[in-house]
């Protein structure tokens, strides 16, 4: 038995009684029987004081979080309590009631906004996501803000990175197959000091260049000083020059090598090889 109308429970019914009539009245989702002292369609003055209901607080909370970007429940609640309790319509005798009511409304409003995916909450941090929009509005926003061109460039960079990774995978797998064939022909692993471990760097310079090399005590840092121009090549570049990537990086690949290259990558990525 509840003195004021409440939301219906999952069972589809709730008992509601009037403060002026002790007899409870059964209310269902499909049919509402008026209880004496309460008329449907009219707001309860006590439950929604000064029109500050959940919708009102949801709008206020939404504005606060949108303006701040990142905030917390306490910060929003404290500001709204300060705003509403210092308004002209505030009564000193209702101070404690008002503050608890406002904080409860703020909490409910935050849950509503999270359910609508307008805000997100991680631990105590609340972040603004944005108001829901349809596809046409999102497309228009991307055009207006110039985001479309930025995303096209980003996709282009991602595609180039993917292609470079695929070339490296092809080169590494091709190198492994070549080494396995050499071991089978030589009937054993290569001799000591005849191999180079991956990864590696090759520094190329003139024979007349004077090189000063300093090494840290833990041998994790090396400092080179050259008195002439020099080039640095990583293992991927060296493998490409050895032909381990079948000339794909230069667009010079035979049909047979192209079939072999496709077999060295996941089937879903064969299109990028072509």
């Amino acid at each position: 038995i509840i003195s004021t109308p409440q939301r219906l429970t999952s069972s589809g019914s709730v008992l509601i009684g009037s403060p002026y009539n002790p007899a409870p009245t059964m209310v269902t989702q499909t049919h509402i029987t008026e209880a004496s002292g309460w008329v449907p369609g009219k707001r309860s003055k006590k439950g929604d004081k000064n029109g500050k209901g959940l919708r009102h607080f949801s709008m206020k909370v939404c504005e606060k979080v949108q303006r701040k970007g990142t905030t917390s429940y306490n910060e929003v609640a404290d500001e709204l309590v300060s705003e509403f309790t210092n308004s002209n319509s505030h009564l000193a005798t209702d101070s404690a009631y008002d503050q608890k009511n406002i904080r409860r409304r703020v909490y409910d409003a935050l849950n509503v906004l999270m359910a609508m995916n307008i805000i997100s909450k991680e631990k105590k941090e609340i972040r603004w996501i944005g108001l829901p929009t349809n596809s046409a509005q999102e497309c228009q926003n991307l055009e207006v803000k110039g985001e479309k061109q930025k995303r096209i460039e980003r996709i282009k960079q991602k595609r180039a990175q993917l292609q470079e990774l695929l070339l490296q995978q092809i080169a590494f797998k091709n190198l492994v197959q070549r080494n396995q064939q050499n071991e089978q022909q030589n009937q054993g692993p290569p001799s000591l000091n005849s191999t180079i471990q991956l990864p590696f760097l090759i520094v190329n310079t003139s024979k007349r260049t004077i090189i000063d090399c300093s090494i840290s005590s833990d041998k994790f840092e090396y400092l080179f000083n050259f008195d002439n121009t020099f080039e640095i090549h990583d293992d991927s570049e060296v493998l490409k020059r050895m032909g381990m990537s079948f000339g794909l990086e230069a667009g010079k690949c035979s049909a047979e090598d192209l079939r072999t290259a496709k077999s060295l990558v996941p089937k879903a990525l064969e299109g990028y090889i072509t």
Side-chain angles (χ1 to χ4, degrees):
I1 298 176
I2 305 172
S3 63
T4 57
Q6 300 289 325
R7 269 185 285 185
L8 302 174
T9 61
S10 58
S11 62
S13 63
V14 66
L15 285 177
I16 296 179
S18 167
Y20 308 106
N21 186 356
T25 303
M26 180 67 71
V27 178
T28 64
Q29 290 181 345
T30 57
H31 178 73
I32 298 179
T33 304
E34 293 187 15
S36 61
W38 176 66
V39 180
K42 292 186 178 181
R43 291 184 178 179
S44 172
K45 293 182 179 179
K46 183 178 180 181
D48 195 8
K49 188 174 180 180
N50 297 327
K52 298 180 179 66
L54 182 56
R55 180 182 298 179
H56 178 81
F57 278 97
S58 295
M59 293 173 62
K60 285 289 185 182
V61 171
C62 192
E63 292 172 2
K64 291 281 185 187
V65 180
Q66 183 179 12
R67 186 167 61 251
K68 293 177 179 296
T70 303
T71 184
S72 64
Y73 161 74
N74 287 330
E75 186 177 4
V76 175
D78 290 343
E79 289 188 12
L80 289 177
V81 166
S82 178
E83 289 180 13
F84 286 116
T85 56
N86 291 333
S87 62
N88 296 331
S89 59
H90 167 65
L91 300 177
T93 55
D94 292 338
S95 177
Y97 169 78
D98 280 350
Q99 291 188 20
K100 290 182 179 179
N101 186 45
I102 290 171
R103 290 184 177 276
R104 186 177 70 253
R105 292 292 190 180
V106 170
Y107 182 80
D108 292 339
L110 288 173
N111 286 332
V112 170
L113 295 175
M114 276 193 291
M116 296 176 67
N117 200 32
I118 295 175
I119 64 173
S120 64
K121 183 180 179 183
E122 185 175 355
K123 294 182 180 179
K124 293 184 178 181
E125 187 178 75
I126 297 172
R127 290 180 175 273
W128 173 260
I129 297 176
L131 296 173
T133 57
N134 56 38
S135 300
Q137 288 175 324
E138 291 179 358
C139 182
Q140 186 177 6
N141 291 336
L142 289 176
E143 293 283 358
V144 172
K145 296 178 181 179
E147 290 291 328
K148 182 179 179 181
Q149 190 59 35
K150 292 180 181 177
R151 297 198 180 192
I152 290 175
E153 290 296 326
R154 189 177 176 189
I155 292 172
K156 187 177 178 181
Q157 293 174 2
K158 295 287 186 182
R159 183 178 283 110
Q161 292 174 3
L162 176 59
Q163 290 174 344
E164 179 61 29
L165 290 173
L166 289 174
L167 286 175
Q168 291 181 20
Q169 183 176 8
I170 291 171
F172 289 153
K173 286 191 173 182
N174 194 18
L175 178 66
V176 170
Q177 290 180 358
R178 191 204 67 166
N179 292 343
Q180 289 175 345
Q181 292 174 359
N182 290 339
E183 288 183 7
Q184 290 175 359
Q185 293 176 356
N186 298 329
Q187 297 181 351
S191 59
L192 295 175
N193 300 324
S194 65
T195 60
I196 299 176
Q197 302 293 329
L198 293 171
F200 62 83
L201 290 173
I202 291 181
V203 182
N204 180 31
T205 186
S206 169
K207 292 181 178 180
R208 295 185 295 272
T209 302
I210 298 176
I211 304 172
D212 179 25
C213 178
S214 301
I215 306 175
S216 62
S217 57
D218 56 7
K219 295 186 179 180
F220 275 93
E221 294 183 2
Y222 294 74
L223 178 63
F224 292 89
N225 286 319
F226 300 83
D227 68 346
N228 200 350
T229 57
F230 63 93
E231 295 177 344
I232 297 180
H233 307 285
D234 62 1
D235 47 15
S236 299
E237 180 64 24
V238 172
L239 291 177
K240 288 177 184 177
R241 295 194 179 193
M242 291 172 61
M244 292 292 121
S245 58
F246 301 109
L248 285 168
E249 70 284 354
K252 300 177 181 179
C253 183
S254 64
E256 184 179 354
D257 288 340
L258 184 60
R259 286 193 296 269
T260 305
K262 284 183 177 180
S263 67
L264 299 178
V265 300
K267 194 169 185 63
L269 299 177
E270 287 182 359
Y272 290 96
I273 304 302
T274 305

